[in-house]
């Protein structure tokens, strides 16, 4: 996290100035009213919160399509200029920009005058924006039904993969992923978000996998990427780590494997991870961003279908997913967890991960916490009998 001493000092100075102005109001008509003082302090607090949390946190608040049109090369733009380049109604732009600035996206310089801040600048990145639209836009229509859905299940934590918030709100018996195959617009949005997530985290993911093999390693089957999409991650691992000898295999559903470019370096196998793992005795079974989509009951099925293929004392399961702290989670991680309720998925704490893995006969050998609860790495092997 960047040094926060400067924004903290500015915040305290703003508060002191507001207090001084408020105190002077009793002897002068030029001072602030208490309502004006509260508004100024609230605005200063929002700016400080943005600096402390980082721009990603604000993506949960609102998403609009203005970012393609705001000229990053200019210090500021007016509502009239934005309306002209966007081909939008002037009053509509004013109303949208009012909402965005209030929640900390863009800065309001004056009447209908705006400038970028860290949050809005980040959202001009089309890849990052695709991720945001996928995270918020895909699930937002269903989250509005969360209160009535929770009431319908007697306010227990969602845990039934066949009766999710998505099933309830969309009035379908299909699971979300099967439903997407029948709705091309939503599938395109979701696929773009997942591609963006992979692109933004690609280098870090390759580095994470590489770190699992600190030394040259030889195995008949070295690495199986379960639910790994089209295998680009393994392609790069293979290229960067020539000292890793053995088969590398990516597994996913037929529609993902069908879209893959054929490669001699990485094999591809059609596989549904709710069915028995067909590759036996691999050194590493790798699951990234798989288990957080599912409740514990479904995760136990996925893990048990993998365990049957493992060799005791040799094979390992590596899970890469968020690992939330037991207390003081970040805003991003906490709200992502609420988002996952749509699928009855969950972002798990360290204790929750240990309980889950232990319940299927695995022993956690290593757990690396990600920054602010994001993308931790868990290594587990079959527990001793």
């Amino acid at each position: 996290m960047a040094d926060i001493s400067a924004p903290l000092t500015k915040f305290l100075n703003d508060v002191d100035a507001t207090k001084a102005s408020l105190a002077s109001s009793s002897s002068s008509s030029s001072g602030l009213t208490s309502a004006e003082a509260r508004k100024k302090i609230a605005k200063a607090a929002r700016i400080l919160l943005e600096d402390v949390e980082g721009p990603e946190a604000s993506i949960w608040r609102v998403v609009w399509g203005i970012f393609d049109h705001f000229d990053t090369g200019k210090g500021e733009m007016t509502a009239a200029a934005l309306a002209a380049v966007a081909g939008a109604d002037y009053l509509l732009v004013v109303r949208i920009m009012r909402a965005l600035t209030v929640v900390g996206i863009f800065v309001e310089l004056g009447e209908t005058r705006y400038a970028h801040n860290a949050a809005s600048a980040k959202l001009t990145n089309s890849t990052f924006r695709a991720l945001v639209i996928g995270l918020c836009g895909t699930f937002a229509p269903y989250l509005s039904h969360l209160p009535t859905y929770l009431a319908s299940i007697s306010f227990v934590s969602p845990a039934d993969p066949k009766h999710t918030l998505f099933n309830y709100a969309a009035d379908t018996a299909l699971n979300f992923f099967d439903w997407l195959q029948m709705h091309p617009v939503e599938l395109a949005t979701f696929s773009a978000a997942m591609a963006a997530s992979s692109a933004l985290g690609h280098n870090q993911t390759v580095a994470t996998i590489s770190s699992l093999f600190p030394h040259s390693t030889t195995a008949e089957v070295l690495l199986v990427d379960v639910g790994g999409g089209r295998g680009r991650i393994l392609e790069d691992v293979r290229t960067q780590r020539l000292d890793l000898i053995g088969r590398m295999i990516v597994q996913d559903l037929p529609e993902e494997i069908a879209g893959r470019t054929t490669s001699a370096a990485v094999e591809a196998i059609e596989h549904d991870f709710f069915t028995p793992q067909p590759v036996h005795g691999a050194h590493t079974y790798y699951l990234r961003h798989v288990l957080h989509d599912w409740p514990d009951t479904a995760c136990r099925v996925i893990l048990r279908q993998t365990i049957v293929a493992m060799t005791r004392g040799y094979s390992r399961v590596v899970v890469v997913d968020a690992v939330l702290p037991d207390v003081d989670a970040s805003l991003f991680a906490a709200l992502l967890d609420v988002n996952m309720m749509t699928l009855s998925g969950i972002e798990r704490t360290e204790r929750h991960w240990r309980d889950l893995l232990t319940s299927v006969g695995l022993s956690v050998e290593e757990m690396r916490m990600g920054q602010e609860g994001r993308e931790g790495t868990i290594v587990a092997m079959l527990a001793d009998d």
Side-chain angles (χ1 to χ4, degrees):
M1 181 181 290
D3 179 25
I4 65 166
S5 57
L8 180 59
T9 298
K10 182 180 185 305
F11 170 72
L12 294 174
N13 289 340
D14 287 345
V15 171
D16 287 341
T18 302
K19 288 168 61 180
S21 184
L22 184 61
S24 70
S25 65
S26 59
S27 58
S28 170
S29 61
S30 63
L32 292 175
T33 66
S34 59
E36 291 170 333
R38 284 196 297 270
K39 187 175 180 180
K40 279 184 171 291
I41 292 174
K43 181 177 181 180
R46 285 197 299 270
I47 293 172
L48 176 64
L49 191 62
E50 169 72 24
D51 287 320
V52 172
E53 291 177 340
E56 293 90 345
S58 63
I59 69 172
W60 297 105
R61 300 186 182 119
V62 67
V63 180
W64 300 98
I66 202 74
F67 305 98
D68 280 329
H69 304 292
F70 201 105
D71 190 343
T72 55
K74 295 183 179 180
E76 64 179 77
M77 287 189 76
T78 64
L82 275 169
V85 297
D89 177 68
Y90 168 80
L91 181 57
L92 175 64
V93 170
V94 171
R95 295 171 70 184
I96 289 175
M97 292 303 292
R98 181 188 297 128
L100 289 171
T101 56
V102 166
V103 298
I105 301 176
F106 292 107
V107 177
E108 190 174 49
L109 299 177
E111 185 177 1
T112 72
R113 293 171 46 237
Y114 317 100
H116 270 302
N117 61 7
S120 61
K122 186 146 192 171
L123 283 162
T124 62
N125 180 308
S126 59
T127 302
F128 181 74
R129 196 164 65 252
L131 174 61
V132 171
I133 291 170
L135 284 174
C136 300
T138 300
F139 294 143
Y142 311 116
L143 286 170
S144 64
H145 296 268
L146 184 60
T148 54
Y149 166 70
L150 292 176
S152 76
I153 61 172
S154 301
F155 293 101
V156 297
S157 183
D160 185 347
K162 295 183 179 180
H163 183 54
T164 66
L165 169 59
F166 165 76
N167 296 130
Y168 175 86
D171 192 22
T172 178
L174 295 172
N175 75 46
F176 176 69
F177 301 101
D178 290 339
W179 179 88
L180 280 177
Q181 301 305 316
M182 302 171 63
H183 294 80
V185 174
E186 290 81 358
L187 175 61
T189 299
F190 185 77
S191 296
M194 296 303 97
S197 176
S198 296
L200 291 168
H202 182 83
N203 291 340
Q204 181 57 52
T205 302
V206 172
T208 297
I209 295 177
S210 183
S211 72
L212 297 170
F213 300 92
H215 309 292
S216 298
T217 305
T218 300
E220 181 177 346
V221 181
L222 184 69
L223 183 57
V224 179
D225 189 354
V226 182
R230 298 180 181 180
R232 186 182 165 204
I233 294 292
L234 293 191
E235 299 281 356
D236 282 1
V237 171
R238 179 68 88 188
T239 300
Q240 295 181 22
R241 290 294 303 275
L242 299 178
D243 60 325
L244 299 180
I245 310 300
R247 293 165 64 196
M248 291 188 184
I249 302 170
V250 61
Q251 297 176 330
D252 215 307
L253 297 174
E255 52 268 24
E256 282 295 326
I257 297 301
R260 170 179 159 73
T261 301
T262 303
S263 165
V266 175
E267 300 173 47
I269 296 177
E270 295 179 2
H271 174 56
D272 176 348
F273 46 56
F274 285 107
T275 63
Q277 171 59 246
V279 180
H280 286 246
H283 181 281
T284 300
Y285 296 91
Y286 179 77
L287 297 93
R288 178 178 182 262
H289 294 181
V290 170
L291 299 184
H292 81 147
D293 286 337
W294 302 95
D296 287 359
T297 50
C299 287
R300 290 190 184 98
V301 175
I302 296 169
L303 290 167
R304 286 178 176 134
Q305 298 289 28
T306 304
I307 285 171
V308 296
M310 294 173 66
T311 299
R312 186 175 299 279
Y314 173 72
S315 299
R316 61 183 178 173
V317 170
V318 174
V319 175
V320 174
D321 250 321
V323 180
L324 275 58
D326 291 325
V327 296
D328 199 24
S330 70
L331 175 66
F332 184 93
L335 292 183
L336 180 59
D337 179 45
V338 173
N339 224 37
M340 297 312 299
M341 287 187 190
T342 309
L343 307 180
S344 291
I346 183 171
E347 303 297 346
R348 296 172 172 88
T349 63
E350 177 179 355
R351 181 181 296 109
H352 195 157
W353 278 118
R354 291 185 183 277
D355 290 345
L356 173 62
L357 295 169
T358 299
S359 73
V360 295
L362 291 168
S363 172
V364 175
E365 305 294 316
E366 180 183 1
M367 185 174 295
R368 308 176 195 169
M369 300 286 286
Q371 184 179 12
E372 296 186 347
R374 304 185 196 182
E375 195 135 303
T377 302
I378 308 162
V379 180
M381 301 181 73
L382 290 172
D384 294 336
D385 289 333

